[in-house]
């Protein structure tokens, strides 16, 4: 079974290691100790916790078939006469959207505003990430 050290769990959830420690201390996330005494979180427990955190969709989500919703902050808006590019930083993820200038103006999208990137795709490529050599993961 895969286990993650606190820093790895934090990286995967896009939060600080201190946040993970607080969640463990508060009993929101289950953690044990490895053979060196470091706190570790079982992969299935981390996945269940992440899923529970994402279970409450943004307002309006019930009116959409899209389930991939990334809430973030607009970090860049570039407009020309017809088209625009909007960059959103959603946790550790950068999402870039190309849309009409009219849509950007109607949504009043500006740097610093909160936006939700809604992604609907018929093709999603999934890759298995290699373990990070600096921290490593134990498998059992």
């Amino acid at each position: 079974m895969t286990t993650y050290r606190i820093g790895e769990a934090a990286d995967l959830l896009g939060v600080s290691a201190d946040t993970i420690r607080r969640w463990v201390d508060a009993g929101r996330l289950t953690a044990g100790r490895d053979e060196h005494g470091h706190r570790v979180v079982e992969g299935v427990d981390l996945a269940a916790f992440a899923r529970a955190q994402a279970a409450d969709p943004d307002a309006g989500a019930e009116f959409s078939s899209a389930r991939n919703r990334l809430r973030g902050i607009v970090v860049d808006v570039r407009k020309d006469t017809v088209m625009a590019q909007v960059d959103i930083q959603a946790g550790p993820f950068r999402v870039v959207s190309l849309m009409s200038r009219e849509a950007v103006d109607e949504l009043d999208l500006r740097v610093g505003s909160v936006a939700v990137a809604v992604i609907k795709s018929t093709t999603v490529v999934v890759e298995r990430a290699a373990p990070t050599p600096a921290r490593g993961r134990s498998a059992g």
Side-chain angles (χ1 to χ4, degrees):
M1 180 163 301
T2 303
T3 60
Y4 297 95
R5 292 185 59 184
I6 295 297
E8 292 173 312
D11 289 345
L12 290 169
L13 296 184
V15 298
S16 71
D18 284 340
T19 296
I20 297 289
R21 286 186 196 95
R22 281 193 295 274
W23 288 341
V24 169
D25 292 343
R28 293 182 60 196
L29 181 61
T30 304
R33 300 257 179 203
D34 66 11
E35 63 276 4
H36 303 291
H38 298 114
R39 289 187 194 188
V40 292
V41 179
E42 296 289 341
V44 294
D45 293 335
L46 187 61
F49 182 81
R51 185 170 177 84
Q53 298 307 301
D56 188 18
D58 292 323
E62 64 271 10
F63 302 113
S64 174
S65 64
R67 296 294 176 249
N68 302 306
R69 306 173 66 80
L70 302 172
R71 188 170 191 267
I73 187 167
V74 176
V75 294
D76 193 25
V77 177
R78 294 183 214 158
K79 299 189 271 189
D80 67 18
T81 55
V82 177
M83 295 300 294
Q85 176 180 316
V86 178
D87 290 28
I88 300 170
Q89 193 67 39
F93 305 105
R94 176 179 175 236
V95 180
V96 179
S97 178
L98 301 176
M99 64 184 77
S100 69
R101 179 191 177 112
E102 180 181 12
V104 169
D105 291 341
E106 284 178 6
L107 293 170
D108 194 25
L109 295 175
R110 309 179 218 184
V111 171
S113 60
V114 175
V116 178
V118 180
I119 303 159
K120 177 84 175 186
S121 177
T122 56
T123 303
V124 176
V125 178
V126 176
E127 298 176 343
R128 175 115 189 227
T132 52
R135 293 185 185 149
R137 283 187 198 116
S138 61

